[in-house]
Amino acid sequence: MSTSIALHAGSLERAETASTREPAWAKVVLISVALSFFAVFLLLPLGTVFAEALRKGWGAYLEALVNRDAWDAIRLTLITAAIAVPLNLVFGVAAAWSIAKFEFRGKRLLITFIDLPFSVSPVISGLIYVLLFGAQGWFGPWLQEHDIQIIFAVPGIVLATIFVTFPFVARELIPLMEAQGSEEEEAAVVLGASGWQVFWHITLPNIKWGLLYGVILCNARAMGEFGAVSVVSGHIRGQTNTMPLYVEILYNEYNYAAAFAVASLLALLAIVTLALKTLVERQTRRQLQEIAATSESET
Amino acid sequence: MSISIRNISKQFGTFQALDDVSIDIPSGELVALLGPSGCGKTTLLRIIAGLDYADRGQILLDGDDASARHVRERRVGFVFQHYALFRHMSIADNVAFGLRVRPRRERLAEAEIRRRVKRLLELVQLDWLADRFPPQLSGGQRQRIALARALAVEPKVLLLDEPFGALDAKVRKELRRWLRQLHDEIHVTSVFVTHDQEEALEVADRVVVINKGKVEQIGTPEAVYDHPATPFVANFLGSVNLFHGRVEDGHLHLGEHALALGAGGGSEGRAVAFVRPHEFDLVPGWHADGGLPARILRVAAAGPSAQIEVSRVDGEVIEVTISRDAFQLLGLAEGDQVSLRPRHIRVFQAEALAA
């Protein structure tokens, strides 16, 4: 089946003659539009970040990063990611598992709601928590009575980050797990494996690349999230400032070199994420191809 | 281990997958669940294994009610239609899986596990593939590994879901003979699901014919083939010619012609009759005293037998198969007049077909 399609596609490519090909100028124009867009809107800002950061030399650059406030912002960002990412890893696997392997009422609804954090503006995501846990919010009085601070404190930042980054892992896993089906898990159970054994020995190895991919994206967003975190943070230096918020504060104080220095760290994180993503993507694609190949030779 | 299926019913939404199914399978037998796709046979197999639950009824394994017992504790081996090999494990690890996941105090020593895996791979004649991975194997090889993996835990019952469904015709034929031999060696009670009547008739000790969630007939391959209990069974097993007519004074009346029915020719009234293609005798020419007058439409005489299409006077087409030698002796050609004399007619009351 697939061979015939491949052959077909191959012959189509070969059949592309002067009569079907776009004129040369169209090709040139399209490619140059794409490339200049890429250069102006993506590459230039990225370059600017590093150029501005290093404008006053390496000394100023390092100074902007090793002072106490910067350090606190980096620490809070890492803590937030360290809490939000593992939690969303668990939530994401659980959500994907229940969607891919079980039939239940409200499944479609759950799939739709998983995407909610992507479709709603991050500011709203933050506001939700202010409305819930803020001083005037639903749980506000109760929280105050018990002396628990969520809004304008680290728990609020973590909550907002969890909300915003929730879909990454689940969305990555659902199609993968649906493609794999649950026959392997059933086979393992019949052979006597317990639930945990099935998960560790069968499910996890089958989804590991997709999972890693989701975690990388989730982490990048957790560290870079601005809008939702900004609403719940209160911008208290050294306490509730994450790196993106800190960049804004420095910028507003006309401390450009320091702002760009911290921004360059975030940009670096983005580049590392992209590199990892590309690597892992290659693995996931290979895995999907393997599934396709196995099911093909079976039918 | 014997399996006793008692009054099992199962519904998916409004679809009645199984309707009051009861089957007794004695220990050591190889039984085929045969039926068209969607008839509920795979659901029944999964309920026996414990992968699905019945709405009503019981599964007794060796006389004990297993309905509440978890899949893990039923000691069944299950071979999936698409094998469900663990794709990230080597073949040896696949086969060893059931032995390695046992609780520590029941687990065999690793050396013993390896010894057993080797023996199983030899049993399925694939010990040279131990270090390969599932995607590197052909369909037939994967199927045999799936079987070895299921047998590793020494199941009391072996359940196979369309075990040869995904294989090409030649491998399928080879593998089902091999399965029959294997069963004769190890004698584990086995149930396999198939929609292929040839496969069921060739491999099984007994065949359970299922249609629309109900058991139509249970019997040896000979019994269900030669003495179908219902029109469905007659129709489903092998090709047949169908006649609508009336039974009166020991004859089947088809329009203005009548065919004599042997002893016990069925009750009087409207009836449907089945005659298999190879159960006709062909006589050249039309005869007033016996047989259905017809005309030869087409002859395909390649292979061991001649497939002949004849058309009755009213235009109805009937398939006849006779040996090629016999056909050549008759010296018939397309367009010739012949009389059809069925050696065997199965008659059912017309109401039975509608049911």
Side-chain angles (χ1 to χ4, degrees):
Chain A
M1 182 66 190
S2 83
T3 22
S4 68
I5 288 172
L7 280 177
H8 193 57
S11 62
L12 270 184
E13 263 163 46
R14 252 170 276 131
E16 190 187 289
T17 55
S19 61
T20 58
R21 206 164 30 213
E22 298 298 330
W25 62 264
K27 190 167 154 187
V28 171
V29 167
L30 276 174
I31 291 176
S32 34
V33 165
L35 281 182
S36 34
F37 184 88
F38 170 72
V40 173
F41 286 92
L42 299 173
L43 216 51
L44 192 64
L46 191 65
T48 318
V49 169
F50 288 100
E52 285 292 327
L54 292 168
R55 187 201 283 276
K56 291 187 182 158
W58 280 99
Y61 181 78
L62 285 176
E63 200 179 308
L65 293 180
V66 294
N67 73 63
R68 207 184 150 69
D69 284 349
W71 197 239
D72 282 337
I74 292 172
R75 206 169 53 102
L76 182 59
T77 299
L78 291 178
I79 289 173
T80 306
I83 299 172
V85 173
L87 281 178
N88 272 342
L89 182 122
V90 175
F91 294 155
V93 171
W97 181 293
S98 52
I99 284 170
K101 315 260 166 177
F102 300 118
E103 287 303 325
F104 56 91
R105 232 171 246 235
K107 185 164 151 174
R108 287 287 120 201
L109 204 68
L110 180 59
I111 295 176
T112 315
F113 270 93
I114 281 178
D115 279 346
L116 185 71
F118 277 179
S119 53
V120 79
S121 155
V123 178
I124 311 283
S125 316
L127 269 177
I128 294 169
Y129 288 99
V130 174
L131 290 175
L132 279 178
F133 304 120
Q136 271 76 48
W138 283 12
F139 303 110
W142 187 87
L143 290 169
Q144 266 171 349
E145 246 168 62
H146 293 80
D147 202 21
I148 301 170
Q149 176 98 15
I150 290 184
I151 300 305
F152 307 140
V154 176
I157 293 175
V158 172
L159 279 176
T161 306
I162 289 174
F163 181 83
V164 170
T165 58
F166 177 74
F168 286 104
V169 172
R171 273 175 62 117
E172 199 51 50
L173 291 185
I174 290 167
L176 187 64
M177 285 172 114
E178 277 181 338
Q180 285 171 344
S182 35
E183 269 204 347
E184 282 186 45
E185 275 88 357
E186 285 181 346
V189 172
V190 176
L191 288 169
S194 68
W196 270 116
Q197 283 172 324
V198 173
F199 182 74
W200 281 115
H201 297 303
I202 310 301
T203 309
L204 201 58
N206 277 341
I207 61 169
K208 64 181 176 209
W209 290 111
L211 187 63
L212 190 58
Y213 184 71
V215 163
I216 289 170
L217 292 180
C218 180
N219 181 59
R221 183 68 187 269
M223 291 190 174
E225 174 57 27
F226 177 82
V229 170
S230 174
V231 175
V232 296
S233 139
H235 304 265
I236 308 164
R237 253 186 222 236
Q239 279 183 36
T240 62
N241 246 358
T242 60
M243 284 164 74
L245 300 181
Y246 187 56
V247 172
E248 193 207 17
I249 289 183
L250 290 172
Y251 188 81
N252 287 344
E253 290 169 350
Y254 306 105
N255 193 350
Y256 295 135
F260 279 108
V262 179
S264 74
L265 279 188
L266 285 170
L268 212 60
L269 170 75
I271 293 169
V272 170
T273 302
L274 274 182
L276 282 177
K277 188 180 100 111
T278 314
L279 263 176
V280 173
E281 222 166 15
R282 205 174 297 162
Q283 288 292 340
T284 0
R285 205 178 310 132
R286 192 188 300 169
Q287 198 176 5
L288 275 173
Q289 272 164 359
E290 251 168 45
I291 298 171
T294 9
S295 43
E296 207 169 88
S297 56
E298 277 161 7
T299 40
Chain B
M1 184 151 72
S2 67
I3 308 171
S4 194
I5 298 157
R6 299 250 173 101
N7 312 100
I8 291 283
S9 293
K10 171 85 180 174
Q11 227 166 342
F12 292 110
T14 57
F15 175 68
Q16 187 79 40
L18 292 169
D19 187 3
D20 197 26
V21 170
S22 296
I23 306 167
D24 272 305
I25 299 167
S27 190
E29 206 168 65
L30 177 55
V31 170
L33 302 180
L34 173 66
S37 61
C39 75
K41 54 197 193 304
T42 294
T43 305
L44 182 59
L45 197 74
R46 290 173 60 87
I47 289 175
I48 299 174
L51 290 169
D52 257 323
Y53 290 93
D55 300 333
R56 276 190 304 285
Q58 286 181 310
I59 300 289
L60 306 186
L61 297 177
D62 253 350
D64 292 334
D65 187 359
S67 307
R69 228 189 292 163
H70 193 272
V71 195
R72 269 194 293 282
E73 292 141 20
R74 292 200 186 184
R75 305 217 50 192
V76 297
F78 200 102
V79 177
F80 291 82
Q81 182 176 8
H82 297 296
Y83 327 125
L85 294 181
F86 308 133
R87 66 198 109 204
H88 61 282
M89 287 186 202
S90 73
I91 296 307
D93 287 343
N94 260 280
V95 178
F97 185 83
L99 300 171
R100 290 202 176 122
V101 293
R102 283 187 187 168
R104 196 172 300 273
R105 60 202 145 69
E106 293 169 34
R107 206 180 304 159
L108 301 167
E110 183 59 28
E112 172 62 20
I113 291 179
R114 274 206 213 111
R115 218 171 53 77
R116 226 199 263 186
V117 168
K118 189 164 178 292
R119 216 173 52 218
L120 280 160
L121 287 176
E122 281 164 5
L123 180 72
V124 299
Q125 300 153 2
L126 290 174
D127 46 321
W128 49 285
L129 289 174
D131 298 324
R132 304 271 183 92
F133 284 82
Q136 298 169 294
L137 270 56
S138 73
Q141 290 170 338
R142 279 186 224 168
Q143 184 61 279
R144 283 191 277 169
I145 296 302
L147 197 58
R149 184 179 68 177
L151 291 173
V153 292
E154 296 178 324
K156 298 279 186 59
V157 172
L158 189 59
L159 306 171
L160 306 104
D161 184 11
E162 297 270 3
F164 316 115
L167 303 168
D168 60 65
K170 190 156 172 279
V171 180
R172 193 183 310 177
K173 214 156 191 163
E174 239 172 68
L175 213 53
R176 69 188 187 214
R177 284 209 186 114
W178 175 82
L179 177 73
R180 180 67 236 189
Q181 282 170 8
L182 187 76
H183 182 264
D184 292 341
E185 270 173 50
I186 58 177
H187 267 300
V188 55
T189 314
S190 307
V191 182
F192 75 100
V193 155
T194 180
H195 63 267
D196 180 346
Q197 38 99 10
E198 202 185 313
E199 196 169 290
L201 297 178
E202 185 184 317
V203 177
D205 295 320
R206 278 200 307 156
V207 177
V208 179
V209 185
I210 301 178
N211 183 36
K212 293 183 182 158
K214 287 189 172 161
V215 172
E216 293 272 339
Q217 189 175 4
I218 305 177
T220 62
E222 294 78 19
V224 292
Y225 189 80
D226 291 335
H227 308 288
T230 65
F232 174 82
V233 178
N235 215 350
F236 191 71
L237 292 185
S239 44
V240 285
N241 296 293
L242 182 68
F243 299 95
H244 292 271
R246 289 188 69 78
V247 175
E248 258 166 48
D249 46 82
H251 282 73
L252 175 69
H253 294 269
L254 304 165
E256 55 198 78
H257 303 283
L259 295 168
L261 298 169
S267 47
E268 310 244 312
R270 290 207 309 127
V272 284
F274 294 93
V275 181
R276 297 202 189 279
H278 61 85
E279 290 171 335
F280 283 109
D281 282 327
L282 278 189
V283 183
W286 288 357
H287 304 273
D289 57 332
L292 287 175
R295 199 180 283 280
I296 294 183
L297 275 182
R298 249 182 302 280
V299 178
S305 53
Q307 323 284 333
I308 305 152
E309 265 179 42
V310 301
S311 127
R312 280 179 59 196
V313 198
D314 60 8
E316 201 176 323
V317 175
I318 297 169
E319 277 180 48
V320 178
T321 306
I322 61 175
S323 84
R324 207 160 135 187
D325 294 343
F327 181 71
Q328 269 161 359
L329 278 177
L330 288 171
L332 289 166
E334 289 175 11
D336 286 355
Q337 293 181 344
V338 288
S339 291
L340 297 174
R341 292 183 181 163
R343 290 188 301 271
H344 195 126
I345 310 177
R346 271 164 291 266
V347 181
F348 297 93
Q349 279 180 289
E351 292 73 39
L353 190 70

